[in-house]
Amino acid sequence: METSAHDDLPTPAQQALDALAENAEDQAALDVLAHSDVLVPVPDDAVGREGADATSVALPVLEQPGGEPVVPVFTTEGEMAELLPFVSHYRLIPLGALASQWPDEDLSLAIDGNSTHALTLTSQGVRTLLAR
């Protein structure tokens, strides 16, 4: 059974998520997370439609059953493929930059949604914890 060396090693962002699962106030982990790039899924019908404005990104919003809308982002392509296998395009964005422009409405952020180190933040949490 061959596996490449990086298959089982968590990324720094995933290590930060694991640390935050144990201690939500871990400032070092929050800093790592804020400075990590995340994959923001781009629906196929939106590819090429965003035009020349590379400074804005259309946030994909999923409606949770009985919950508030959530924006899914991922730390790796593998995590994204597991939850959203039908999405083939994404933008790589620093999480802190995404957080600093977070909309005012009640929109949660789900990082690696269904993995063992998933983290979901409220809109307030995104702005206060990750906007750097």
Side-chain angles (χ1 to χ4, degrees):
M1 185 172 98
E2 280 187 45
T3 59
S4 59
H6 60 80
D7 277 355
D8 296 326
L9 291 177
T11 65
Q14 290 170 331
Q15 290 172 339
L17 289 171
D18 290 338
L20 289 167
E22 291 178 26
N23 175 10
E25 304 294 314
D26 187 328
Q27 288 302 312
L30 287 168
D31 281 344
V32 168
L33 206 52
H35 291 95
S36 296
D37 286 341
V38 292
L39 286 62
V40 179
V42 176
D44 286 340
D45 61 358
V47 173
R49 212 178 47 197
E50 289 182 37
D53 186 4
T55 60
S56 70
V57 63
L59 295 176
V61 179
L62 299 178
E63 294 291 332
Q64 292 184 311
E68 61 184 42
V70 64
V71 173
V73 299
F74 302 91
T75 55
T76 65
E77 286 183 359
E79 293 288 353
M80 186 173 80
E82 219 166 277
L83 187 64
L84 301 174
F86 52 88
V87 173
S88 56
H89 297 89
Y90 60 86
R91 300 225 358 223
L92 204 55
I93 300 175
L95 192 53
L98 189 63
S100 68
Q101 298 174 29
W102 201 252
D104 285 336
E105 67 245 35
D106 278 340
L107 197 58
S108 295
L109 174 72
I111 305 169
D112 286 352
N114 65 345
S115 74
T116 55
H117 49 254
L119 175 69
T120 300
L121 294 171
T122 64
S123 56
Q124 180 63 33
V126 172
R127 287 191 295 272
T128 57
L129 297 175
L130 297 176
R132 305 282 169 171

